[in-house]
Amino acid sequence: SAVISQKPSRDICQRGTSLTIQCQVDSQVTMMFWYRQQPGQSLTLIATANQGSEATYESGFVIDKFPISRPNLTFSTLTVSNMSPEDSSIYLCSVAGLGTEAFFGQGTRLTVV
Amino acid sequence: AQSVTQLDSQVPVFEEAPVELRCNYSSSVSVYLFWYVQYPNQGLQLLLKYLSGSTLVKGINGFEAEFNKSQTSFHLRKPSVHISDTAEYFCAASWGYKLSFGAGTTVTVRA
């Protein structure tokens, strides 16, 4: 299993600003994932973050809007840039291995006003 | 693209009644299947998982699910629900490292 800590747990931000979300895992993992859960919706994968390489973004998500860092095997950050009210969501960090369950952080509840 | 479909968006049920949440996925080839629960204002918790072996999987809180390869289904069941089972339930599948989630089913248990 893995224990994932996300910071901040929630934030209220002004439109046009950026927020960086941190994700810390208690063990070394190869792949980390960032998800978005819009109000009343399911989880949508934003990108996969591998240590030492560029993140891989899913369709509809771009690096300029959601830059990701992965400086080592236990840490990653997701930045939500130039925010608008449509970015109000829960953002979740996750780790998973091949053929195993995914573990999730508690999420960051973002409200953009 | 691989996908997961949850056939019921909302399921109201009376306390102590059985419940079944339906989930279908797009391909049985090398698939791993999961059910997660999300209680109000909380994170995701794994209920159960199918990786291989027995097609009937038992999870926490009295839930179970059956992997049906021919029907590409992984329905979740509980014989008797409690008020505390009120939550959002997500079916998810993996064909590698990434998880694909269904849209979710809201279960509301009434006394």
Side-chain angles (χ1 to χ4, degrees):
Chain A
S1 66
V3 177
I4 302 172
S5 302
Q6 264 187 255
K7 289 193 288 189
S9 58
R10 59 178 63 231
D11 207 342
I12 301 173
C13 300
Q14 297 290 324
R15 68 178 68 199
T17 63
S18 298
L19 175 71
T20 296
I21 302 168
Q22 299 180 4
C23 178
Q24 179 75 51
V25 187
D26 68 343
S27 57
Q28 294 186 339
V29 294
T30 303
M31 306 175 84
M32 296 178 73
F33 305 89
W34 287 98
Y35 289 84
R36 181 177 71 182
Q37 186 178 21
Q38 294 177 298
Q41 303 293 318
S42 185
L43 282 76
T44 302
L45 182 64
I46 297 171
T48 303
N50 295 318
Q51 194 268 333
S53 64
E54 292 285 330
T56 304
Y57 290 83
E58 298 298 307
S59 176
F61 297 96
V62 295
I63 187 171
D64 290 346
K65 177 67 176 177
F66 297 102
I68 288 171
S69 77
R70 183 79 202 274
N72 57 52
L73 291 172
T74 62
F75 188 79
S76 178
T77 67
L78 170 76
T79 298
V80 186
S81 303
N82 188 25
M83 288 184 285
S84 66
E86 292 70 35
D87 294 320
S88 297
S89 296
I90 299 173
Y91 292 86
L92 296 110
C93 172
S94 172
V95 301
L98 180 63
T100 65
E101 69 193 82
F103 298 94
F104 290 86
Q106 286 297 100
T108 296
R109 186 179 296 271
L110 171 63
T111 302
V112 183
V113 297
Chain B
Q2 310 288 25
S3 63
V4 178
T5 303
Q6 289 182 244
L7 300 168
D8 310 290
S9 60
Q10 297 195 37
V11 174
V13 58
F14 286 105
E15 194 174 21
E16 298 183 7
V19 69
E20 178 181 79
L21 308 184
R22 297 179 293 168
C23 173
N24 286 93
Y25 53 92
S26 54
S27 169
S28 291
V29 176
S30 300
V31 67
Y32 307 104
L33 297 161
F34 309 87
W35 276 97
Y36 286 87
V37 61
Q38 186 176 39
Y39 299 105
N41 297 313
Q42 294 191 28
L44 286 166
Q45 180 180 3
L46 181 72
L47 275 177
L48 48 78
K49 59 186 176 185
Y50 171 79
L51 304 181
S52 65
S54 173
T55 57
L56 182 62
V57 179
K58 293 189 183 296
I60 63 171
N61 301 340
F63 285 94
E64 64 179 33
E66 185 160 16
F67 170 61
N68 189 316
K69 186 175 181 178
S70 62
Q71 297 187 11
T72 60
S73 68
F74 191 56
H75 300 335
L76 180 72
R77 300 182 183 92
K78 185 170 182 177
S80 177
V81 297
H82 302 289
I83 297 289
S84 59
D85 292 320
T86 294
E88 188 80 13
Y89 293 79
F90 293 100
C91 181
S94 170
W95 289 268
Y97 288 94
K98 295 189 291 187
L99 275 179
S100 295
F101 283 85
T105 299
T106 303
V107 173
T108 304
V109 182
R110 301 170 182 170

Tab-separated table of all heavy atoms in Angstrom, chain B residues 6-12 22 87-89 103-107:
chain	number	residue	atom	x	y	z
B	6	GLN	N	-21.090	2.804	-16.229
B	6	GLN	CA	-21.963	2.476	-15.104
B	6	GLN	C	-23.389	2.786	-15.536
B	6	GLN	O	-23.690	3.905	-15.943
B	6	GLN	CB	-21.570	3.257	-13.859
B	6	GLN	CG	-20.251	2.771	-13.278
B	6	GLN	CD	-19.859	3.497	-12.017
B	6	GLN	OE1	-18.856	4.187	-11.973
B	6	GLN	NE2	-20.650	3.319	-10.968
B	7	LEU	N	-24.217	1.794	-15.466
B	7	LEU	CA	-25.527	1.862	-16.100
B	7	LEU	C	-26.563	2.624	-15.293
B	7	LEU	O	-27.603	2.989	-15.833
B	7	LEU	CB	-26.021	0.451	-16.386
B	7	LEU	CG	-25.087	-0.331	-17.316
B	7	LEU	CD1	-25.435	-1.802	-17.338
B	7	LEU	CD2	-25.147	0.241	-18.722
B	8	ASP	N	-26.287	2.851	-14.030
B	8	ASP	CA	-27.251	3.540	-13.173
B	8	ASP	C	-26.595	4.764	-12.558
B	8	ASP	O	-25.583	4.640	-11.889
B	8	ASP	CB	-27.743	2.607	-12.056
B	8	ASP	CG	-28.201	1.268	-12.597
B	8	ASP	OD1	-29.242	1.246	-13.250
B	8	ASP	OD2	-27.490	0.270	-12.373
B	9	SER	N	-27.170	5.917	-12.768
B	9	SER	CA	-26.580	7.114	-12.179
B	9	SER	C	-27.012	7.289	-10.722
B	9	SER	O	-26.254	7.806	-9.908
B	9	SER	CB	-26.971	8.346	-12.989
B	9	SER	OG	-28.389	8.492	-13.013
B	10	GLN	N	-28.235	6.869	-10.418
B	10	GLN	CA	-28.724	6.982	-9.047
B	10	GLN	C	-29.493	5.720	-8.679
B	10	GLN	O	-30.284	5.212	-9.475
B	10	GLN	CB	-29.627	8.203	-8.898
B	10	GLN	CG	-28.918	9.518	-9.163
B	10	GLN	CD	-29.712	10.701	-8.673
B	10	GLN	OE1	-30.353	10.639	-7.634
B	10	GLN	NE2	-29.674	11.784	-9.409
B	11	VAL	N	-29.241	5.252	-7.464
B	11	VAL	CA	-29.950	4.067	-6.974
B	11	VAL	C	-30.463	4.359	-5.570
B	11	VAL	O	-29.688	4.383	-4.608
B	11	VAL	CB	-29.032	2.829	-6.958
B	11	VAL	CG1	-29.743	1.649	-6.302
B	11	VAL	CG2	-28.606	2.468	-8.376
B	12	PRO	N	-31.756	4.595	-5.440
B	12	PRO	CA	-32.328	4.720	-4.091
B	12	PRO	C	-32.695	3.342	-3.575
B	12	PRO	O	-33.193	2.497	-4.328
B	12	PRO	CB	-33.572	5.580	-4.335
B	12	PRO	CG	-33.963	5.275	-5.748
B	12	PRO	CD	-32.719	4.889	-6.486
B	22	ARG	N	-24.473	-1.712	-11.455
B	22	ARG	CA	-24.019	-2.349	-12.676
B	22	ARG	C	-22.850	-1.610	-13.319
B	22	ARG	O	-22.836	-0.372	-13.363
B	22	ARG	CB	-25.176	-2.459	-13.658
B	22	ARG	CG	-26.305	-3.345	-13.153
B	22	ARG	CD	-27.440	-3.397	-14.145
B	22	ARG	NE	-28.117	-2.111	-14.278
B	22	ARG	CZ	-28.987	-1.835	-15.240
B	22	ARG	NH1	-29.264	-2.738	-16.166
B	22	ARG	NH2	-29.581	-0.654	-15.284
B	87	ALA	N	-23.469	6.831	-0.436
B	87	ALA	CA	-22.183	7.315	-0.977
B	87	ALA	C	-22.229	7.279	-2.499
B	87	ALA	O	-23.212	6.845	-3.101
B	87	ALA	CB	-21.037	6.439	-0.473
B	88	GLU	N	-21.127	7.720	-3.089
B	88	GLU	CA	-20.924	7.610	-4.535
B	88	GLU	C	-20.027	6.416	-4.787
B	88	GLU	O	-19.005	6.241	-4.111
B	88	GLU	CB	-20.256	8.884	-5.063
B	88	GLU	CG	-20.175	8.973	-6.564
B	88	GLU	CD	-21.469	9.423	-7.213
B	88	GLU	OE1	-22.365	9.894	-6.485
B	88	GLU	OE2	-21.595	9.305	-8.447
B	89	TYR	N	-20.395	5.592	-5.758
B	89	TYR	CA	-19.632	4.382	-6.059
B	89	TYR	C	-19.103	4.460	-7.486
B	89	TYR	O	-19.845	4.751	-8.422
B	89	TYR	CB	-20.505	3.134	-5.880
B	89	TYR	CG	-20.885	2.893	-4.437
B	89	TYR	CD1	-21.912	3.614	-3.842
B	89	TYR	CD2	-20.190	1.974	-3.667
B	89	TYR	CE1	-22.255	3.419	-2.512
B	89	TYR	CE2	-20.520	1.758	-2.334
B	89	TYR	CZ	-21.546	2.491	-1.765
B	89	TYR	OH	-21.873	2.289	-0.442
B	103	ALA	N	-18.868	6.762	-14.699
B	103	ALA	CA	-19.435	8.067	-14.316
B	103	ALA	C	-19.874	8.117	-12.862
B	103	ALA	O	-20.127	9.197	-12.332
B	103	ALA	CB	-20.601	8.408	-15.229
B	104	GLY	N	-19.987	6.962	-12.225
B	104	GLY	CA	-20.380	6.933	-10.827
B	104	GLY	C	-21.853	6.630	-10.633
B	104	GLY	O	-22.688	6.933	-11.504
B	105	THR	N	-22.171	5.999	-9.511
B	105	THR	CA	-23.556	5.718	-9.126
B	105	THR	C	-23.772	6.249	-7.719
B	105	THR	O	-23.026	5.885	-6.804
B	105	THR	CB	-23.853	4.211	-9.148
B	105	THR	OG1	-23.671	3.712	-10.470
B	105	THR	CG2	-25.287	3.937	-8.687
B	106	THR	N	-24.770	7.087	-7.574
B	106	THR	CA	-25.098	7.623	-6.255
B	106	THR	C	-26.089	6.688	-5.580
B	106	THR	O	-27.192	6.473	-6.094
B	106	THR	CB	-25.722	9.018	-6.369
B	106	THR	OG1	-24.819	9.882	-7.060
B	106	THR	CG2	-26.013	9.579	-4.980
B	107	VAL	N	-25.679	6.138	-4.464
B	107	VAL	CA	-26.561	5.259	-3.695
B	107	VAL	C	-27.080	6.026	-2.492
B	107	VAL	O	-26.296	6.570	-1.705
B	107	VAL	CB	-25.820	3.995	-3.232
B	107	VAL	CG1	-26.693	3.174	-2.288
B	107	VAL	CG2	-25.395	3.164	-4.438
